[in-house]
Amino acid sequence: MIEIVHGIRLVNRDTLAETIAGTVKDRGQASVATAAINSWVAVNSIESKTEIADDVVAKILRQMTR
C-alpha cells in the first residue's frame, strides 16, 4: 500500500514484511509499524526506487515494543 500511495518501489519490500511479521504480536501492531514506515517515507520525501534501511525499521519496531 505504501508503494501505491507514494508512487514508489520498495526494493526490500519482502524483507520488510518478514521483519515486521516476525517482530509484532498481532495485526494491530503490524498496522502501527506500516503506518510508521509510511510516515517515514512521506517525511523523507522518498521517490522512485528505495530501500528502507534496517536500522530505520529496527528503530520503529523498538519504539513499538517499549
Side-chain angles (χ1 to χ4, degrees), residues 7-59:
I8 64 172
R9 169 78 168 102
L10 297 174
V11 177
N12 60 335
R13 173 179 49 185
D14 294 337
T15 303
L16 287 171
E18 290 172 9
T19 300
I20 292 168
T23 305
V24 300
K25 295 177 184 175
D26 55 36
R27 286 181 184 245
Q29 283 189 341
S31 292
V32 171
T34 55
I37 292 170
N38 182 54
S39 296
W40 182 87
V41 168
V43 167
N44 288 284
S45 302
I46 303 299
E47 297 178 356
S48 189
K49 288 184 179 180
T50 193
E51 181 174 342
I52 299 179
D54 292 339
D55 63 324
V56 171
V57 178
K59 182 178 179 180

